[in-house]
């Protein structure tokens, strides 16, 4: 009698021959993706109507999780510690609101914390192939938003773009440029990591095109915070991922992004005319060059070098155009600087309020910050433009400590996922996206658009250990 030895298959090559095996998404994941799609369309869920729609879909996802019968039912135990801290932070928010005589003010914070834990739970329960499908769906959602912002700038269509400091900036369907960058940059890094581990030529082309479009959409926001977040995320991706593969995957999208932005620049100055045709042709050309560079790099480095040199020469020639030079100067003057008097004033005012109410803060609600500039002008704002400072202002240092503990426990959950990830590229991309989101959250009010923190929770779930790889 003969015996056949069973050879274990490495995690990174599972389901390559049959990628659809086990790819059917449970109802809970479908409803979660529907909620994120609805949030993208409904200005990130910033207003009550969008929050209600997202809440109904997420509630449906929660019911589906309870009804779901699967051997991964004990996956919920992995998020117990973050959930405990989330519950404690909810109690702190309620106590702060009651102390400030605004008990209803705590509802949005409590609902967001509950939705965040539910989102992680839904993704944690997915198998390896299902997580890859969710990651690709997330990239597609971001792709639609990014292209909408590019079109908004190219055609001067509000609210997909808006004029800020006399420049047209991509606001996407979220209708706020900095929030759009905070949403798109993590997804661009995730897409880049997935591109780096592409095997088939067709897959490489599609992922390269998607990554390029996300780069262009994020760059069109002209967000300085987005640039910093991307830099931090790229460093994290280089540390945790396959540096050689990532560098190779980055070449095409970087060149393609430069070409597309060169075509968009004439439409950016606030006093300029819309140049939709020029921008559209440059966008298509950028995608095409990016894919050509990626294909050439796979065949030989010499061919890739030729494509890259030709593309850069084309960009340089376009740079000689007077309209492009003038547009670049108009963009550089207000945006290529680290100064921001409004941010400094908001931070100073928030710190003053924290000093007055250090333990429980001033309570959740619609209260405003007030500060005077050097010329005596008094300014007001509802947001500190730093979500960590915002939490300390509204919920005190106790709330900030609980938030830090919750985020730390989620980070540990993601770190453990490196032992048995869905794929190493997906894990590195999710962690890089989280690093970018954490950085961007220091620079603007991103968590007030539920879509953005929930996207971060999806990334946490994607980075966790998959049980079939553990067994």
């Amino acid at each position: 009698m003969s015996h056949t030895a069973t050879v274990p298959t490495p995690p990174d090559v599972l389901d390559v021959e049959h990628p659809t095996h086990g790819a059917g998404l449970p109802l809970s994941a479908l409803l979660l993706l529907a909620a994120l799609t609805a949030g993208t369309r409904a200005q990130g869920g910033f207003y009550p109507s969008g929050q209600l729609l997202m809440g109904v879909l997420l509630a449906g996802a929660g019911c589906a999780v309870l009804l779901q019968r699967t051997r991964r039912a004990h996956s919920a135990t992995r998020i117990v510690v973050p959930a405990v801290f989330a519950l404690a932070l909810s109690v702190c928010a309620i106590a702060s609101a009651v102390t400030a005589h605004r008990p209803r003010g705590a509802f949005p914070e409590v609902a967001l914390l509950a939705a965040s834990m539910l989102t992680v739970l839904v993704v944690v329960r997915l198998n390896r192939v299902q997580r890859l499908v969710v990651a690709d769906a997330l990239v597609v959602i971001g792709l639609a938003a990014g292209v909408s912002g590019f079109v908004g700038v190219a055609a001067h269509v509000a609210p997909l773009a808006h004029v800020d400091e006399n420049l047209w900036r991509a606001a996407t369907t979220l209708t706020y440029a900095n929030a759009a960058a905070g949403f798109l940059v993590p997804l661009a890094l995730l897409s880049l990591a997935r591109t780096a581990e592409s095997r088939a030529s067709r897959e490489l082309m599609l992922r390269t095109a998607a990554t390029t479009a996300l780069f262009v959409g994020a760059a069109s926001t002209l967000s300085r915070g987005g640039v910093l977040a991307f830099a931090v995320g790229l460093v994290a991706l280089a540390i945790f991922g396959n540096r050689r593969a990532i560098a190779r995957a980055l070449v095409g999208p970087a060149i393609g992004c430069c070409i597309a932005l060169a075509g968009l620049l004439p439409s950016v100055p606030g006093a300029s005319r819309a140049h939709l045709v020029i921008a559209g042709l440059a966008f298509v050309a950028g995608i095409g060059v990016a894919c050509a560079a990626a294909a050439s790099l796979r065949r030989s480095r010499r061919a890739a070098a030729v494509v890259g040199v030709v593309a850069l020469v084309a960009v340089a020639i376009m740079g000689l155009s007077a309209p492009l030079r003038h547009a670049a100067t108009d963009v550089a003057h207000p945006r290529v600087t680290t100064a921001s008097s409004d941010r400094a004033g908001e931070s100073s005012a928030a710190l003053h309020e924290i000093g007055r109410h250090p333990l429980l803060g001033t309570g959740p609600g619609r209260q405003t910050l007030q500060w005077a500039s050097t010329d005596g002008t008094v300014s007001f704002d509802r947001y500190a433009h730093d979500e960590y400072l915002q939490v300390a202002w509204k919920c005190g240092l106790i709330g900030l400590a609980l938030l830090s503990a919750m985020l730390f426990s989620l980070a540990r959950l993601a770190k453990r996922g490196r032992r048995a990830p869905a794929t190493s590229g997906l894990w590195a991309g999710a962690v890089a996206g989280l690093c970018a989101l954490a950085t961007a959250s220091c620079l603007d009010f991103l968590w007030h658009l539920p879509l953005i923190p929930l996207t971060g929770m999806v990334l946490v779930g994607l980075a966790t250990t998959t049980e079939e790889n553990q067994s």
Side-chain angles (χ1 to χ4, degrees):
M1 181 181 293
S2 62
H3 297 277
T4 303
T6 301
V7 179
T9 307
D12 278 355
V13 297
L14 288 172
D15 297 319
V16 172
E17 303 250 342
H18 305 285
T20 59
H21 177 67
L25 293 180
L27 180 60
S28 58
L30 292 173
L31 288 171
L32 171 61
L33 291 174
L36 297 177
T37 303
T40 307
R41 180 65 184 85
Q43 297 175 272
F46 182 77
Y47 295 104
S49 57
Q51 293 169 7
L52 178 61
L53 177 58
M54 294 181 70
V56 169
L57 291 169
L58 288 171
C63 293
V65 166
L66 293 176
L67 297 174
Q68 191 176 344
R69 294 182 179 180
T70 172
R71 66 183 180 86
R72 290 179 293 276
H74 61 280
S75 299
T77 59
R78 284 190 272 169
I79 68 164
V80 167
V81 175
V84 168
F85 285 121
L87 178 61
L89 182 55
S90 298
V91 172
C92 178
I94 293 171
S96 178
V98 170
T99 302
H101 307 291
R102 291 186 299 271
R104 295 182 181 178
F107 178 77
E109 284 77 4
V110 173
L112 180 59
L113 288 166
S116 297
M117 293 300 104
L118 174 61
T119 299
V120 177
L121 177 60
V122 169
V123 182
V124 162
R125 290 166 64 90
L126 301 178
N127 65 36
R128 172 189 177 275
V129 182
Q130 290 169 342
R131 293 189 189 189
L132 297 177
V133 173
V134 167
D136 289 342
L138 201 58
V139 168
V140 171
I141 293 171
L143 189 61
V147 171
S148 75
F150 180 87
V151 172
V153 174
H156 291 182
V157 177
L160 297 179
H162 60 73
V163 178
D164 180 26
E165 295 182 308
N166 202 32
L167 299 174
W168 280 94
R169 299 176 59 190
T172 73
T173 50
L174 275 62
T175 68
Y176 180 50
N178 292 336
F183 176 60
L184 294 175
V185 167
L187 299 185
L189 292 164
L190 176 66
S191 182
L192 177 61
R194 296 284 287 133
T195 303
E197 63 178 0
S198 299
R199 292 182 174 87
S201 296
R202 183 179 178 184
E203 179 189 6
L204 177 64
M205 296 299 100
L206 289 173
R207 294 196 185 283
T208 298
T211 303
T212 305
L214 284 168
F215 278 18
V216 173
S220 301
T221 64
L222 304 181
S223 171
R224 293 169 293 185
V227 172
L228 179 59
F230 180 79
V232 171
L234 193 60
V235 170
L237 194 55
I239 293 172
F240 299 119
N242 184 331
R243 281 188 286 275
R244 181 174 295 180
I246 290 164
R248 189 166 55 242
L250 181 62
V251 172
I255 296 173
C257 181
C258 290
I259 293 173
L261 289 181
L264 184 66
L265 265 178
S267 301
V268 172
S272 67
R273 293 185 297 106
H275 297 84
L276 180 59
V277 174
I278 295 175
L281 291 174
F283 183 83
V284 173
I287 297 289
V289 170
C291 291
S296 301
L297 194 56
R298 167 164 288 195
R299 285 193 291 269
S300 72
R301 294 183 180 180
R302 182 174 298 179
V306 171
V307 172
V309 168
V310 171
L312 292 176
V313 168
V315 172
I317 292 174
M318 287 188 292
L320 297 175
S321 166
L324 277 180
R325 291 202 311 273
H326 294 155
T329 301
D330 290 341
V331 171
H333 177 67
R335 302 309 299 170
V336 185
T337 175
T338 58
S340 179
S341 58
D342 286 344
R343 295 289 195 277
E346 290 153 357
S347 298
S348 177
L351 289 171
H352 176 72
E353 290 297 320
I354 294 169
R356 292 179 56 202
H357 308 276
L359 294 182
L360 290 176
T362 60
R366 301 176 63 87
Q367 62 269 40
T368 60
L369 296 170
Q370 177 179 331
W371 70 96
S373 57
T374 54
D375 62 359
T377 304
V378 178
S379 301
F380 302 88
D381 205 318
R382 287 175 53 196
Y383 309 104
H385 287 78
D386 177 335
E387 289 293 3
Y388 309 106
L389 204 58
Q390 183 92 8
V391 170
W393 167 34
K394 294 299 182 76
C395 296
L397 297 178
I398 294 176
L400 182 61
L402 291 172
L403 172 68
S404 300
M406 185 188 81
L407 295 179
F408 179 75
S409 62
L410 289 171
R412 287 193 63 190
L413 190 64
K415 181 183 177 182
R416 293 194 202 104
R418 195 175 192 181
R419 302 171 187 169
T423 69
S424 56
L426 179 65
W427 183 86
V431 170
L434 288 169
C435 291
L437 181 55
T439 302
S441 298
C442 297
L443 305 169
D444 221 298
F445 61 99
L446 305 185
W447 302 350
H448 289 73
L449 284 73
L451 171 70
I452 297 178
L454 293 182
T455 299
M457 294 301 114
V458 174
L459 294 178
V460 171
L462 293 176
T464 58
T465 300
T466 55
E467 292 186 7
E468 62 265 39
N469 285 354
Q470 283 185 303
S471 55

